């Protein structure tokens, strides 16, 4: 008997790839999307084991019936890839990433869902006590709040719950740091701040989707409560060299850190908002973001996609994410 799977965020960047991989394995799938379109109608027509339902994450009562008869819930949808700039925006992070997650899992348990998988973020690993709760860290704060709720909820629930923290994802229609970094190559210039030896833990988006399918099929009792999923760790120098393969005219320039910080302080006096934005981008180029994922490599596909093998021109050009 085929397992029944419910996915939120099925029309997103990772969700589409996850959907593709689950369909290939013949699972019965109910996929929550905000609004049906030509693509969703075509997929339903092609696959008799797929059903899309329309719904808003914040209005669970309107689509909760879709959880009836479900074996596994994969909660992928979230508000991501932005720093909150106001109290209103911070509130939206908590509403979607925490409050909606809470309601979805509570309803799932009532409908007898056996297993729940929540996609969190390694941003919570970098969240200090001083940062938690501040407006600009609302994304990470909302995710850690959801994690804490689920860990506590699991103690009194009949549902098995797994929390997944992916490292930096790249490829396809990503809207994150890698696409922003690659956009710099359009100017035939790529800056490295400092020596370029700072490290990043990364995973190709298709490999992450495959790992979710593999984790889903594992008994949760045999896994850790929180799994960090990554594939490799690379340096900023390696990132620059790989980008250069896609643009031979690109010049890699190493810039000293201290003068840039001084310039940033001057900009901060004139325009604090702009300074904050530049500072975050600067930190992306300077900081190391590494995480312990080695013990979870077993969940990745047998053939991993390595960063050094990606042609970023083919990967990103003409494959822009939807607004």
């Amino acid at each position: 008997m085929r397992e029944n799977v419910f996915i939120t965020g099925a029309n997103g960047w990772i969700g589409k790839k996850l959907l593709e991989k689950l369909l290939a394995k013949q699972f019965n799938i109910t996929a929550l999307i905000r609004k049906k379109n030509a693509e969703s109608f075509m997929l339903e027509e092609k696959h008799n084991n797929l059903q899309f339902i329309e719904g808003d994450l914040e209005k669970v009562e309107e689509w909760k019936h879709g959880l009836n008869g479900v074996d596994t819930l994969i909660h992928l949808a979230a508000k991501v890839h932005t720093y909150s700039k106001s109290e209103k925006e911070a509130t939206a992070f908590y509403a979607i990433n925490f409050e909606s997650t809470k309601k979805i899992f509570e309803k799932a348990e009532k409908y007898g869902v056996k297993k729940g998988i929540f996609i969190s973020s390694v941003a919570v690993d970098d969240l200090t006590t001083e940062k938690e709760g501040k407006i600009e860290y609302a994304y990470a704060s909302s995710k850690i709040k959801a994690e804490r709720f689920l860990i506590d909820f699991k103690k009194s629930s009949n549902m098995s719950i797994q929390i997944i923290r992916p490292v930096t994802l790249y490829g396809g229609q990503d809207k994150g740091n890698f696409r922003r970094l690659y956009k710099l190559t359009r100017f035939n210039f790529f800056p490295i701040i400092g020596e370029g030896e700072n490290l990043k833990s990364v995973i190709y988006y298709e490999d992450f989707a495959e790992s979710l399918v593999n984790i889903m099929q594992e008994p949760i009792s045999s896994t850790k409560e929180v799994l960090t999923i990554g594939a490799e760790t690379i340096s900023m120098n390696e990132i620059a060299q790989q980008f250069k393969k896609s643009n031979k005219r690109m010049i890699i320039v190493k810039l000293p850190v201290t003068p840039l910080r001084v310039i940033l302080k001057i900009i901060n006096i004139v325009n604090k908002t702009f300074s904050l934005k530049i500072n975050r981008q600067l930190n992306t180029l300077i900081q190391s973001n590494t995480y312990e994922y080695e013990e979870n490599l077993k969940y990745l596909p047998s053939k991993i996609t390595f960063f050094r093998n990606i042609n970023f021109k083919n990967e990103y050009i003409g494959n822009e994410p939807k607004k």
Side-chain angles (χ1 to χ4, degrees), residues 125-266:
D125 285 335
D126 302 321
L127 192 65
T128 61
T129 304
E130 293 74 24
K131 291 177 180 178
E132 188 175 347
K134 289 187 176 180
I135 287 174
E136 59 266 40
Y137 299 104
Y139 171 64
S141 298
S142 65
K143 283 291 191 179
I144 193 65
K145 195 169 182 181
E147 283 193 14
R148 288 170 181 157
F149 164 76
L150 291 173
I151 289 169
D152 189 57
F153 180 68
K154 182 180 178 180
K155 295 173 184 175
S156 58
S157 171
N158 293 320
M159 190 193 311
S160 297
I161 295 173
Q162 185 77 67
I163 296 166
I164 309 295
R165 296 177 184 170
V167 300
T168 300
L169 291 149
Y170 69 93
Q173 294 186 329
D174 84 74
K175 299 178 182 179
N177 289 332
F178 271 95
R179 184 175 287 274
R180 285 194 287 269
L181 286 174
Y182 185 73
K183 282 182 177 179
L184 294 174
T185 67
R186 294 179 299 179
F187 306 105
N188 299 325
F189 167 82
F190 190 86
I192 289 182
I193 314 300
E195 294 303 312
E197 295 174 357
N198 50 310
L199 302 173
K200 309 286 183 183
S201 295
V202 301
I203 184 170
Y204 188 56
Y205 80 114
E206 290 194 23
D207 289 352
F208 177 63
E210 184 73 31
S211 74
L212 290 179
V213 178
N214 293 337
I215 290 167
M216 188 192 82
Q217 296 176 93
E218 284 280 319
I220 285 185
S221 58
S222 68
T223 64
K224 290 175 64 178
E225 200 163 46
V226 179
L227 298 178
T228 299
I229 302 297
E232 59 182 325
T233 298
I234 55 177
S235 69
M236 188 56 71
N237 285 325
E238 289 175 290
I239 292 170
Q241 290 299 329
Q242 193 63 24
F243 284 173
K244 188 173 175 61
K245 290 179 184 178
S246 299
N247 182 356
K248 303 296 184 184
R249 293 180 294 175
M250 187 186 88
I251 299 170
I252 300 170
V253 180
K254 291 191 175 181
L255 303 171
V257 178
T258 305
L260 289 172
R261 292 293 191 192
V262 172
I263 293 169
L264 197 61
K265 284 182 180 179
I266 296 170

Side-chain angles (χ1 to χ4, degrees), residues 57-71:
L57 285 177
E58 296 182 76
K59 298 176 181 178
V60 182
E61 287 293 329
E62 294 180 3
W63 53 264
K64 63 183 181 181
H65 60 277
L67 293 165
N68 190 30
V70 167
D71 298 301

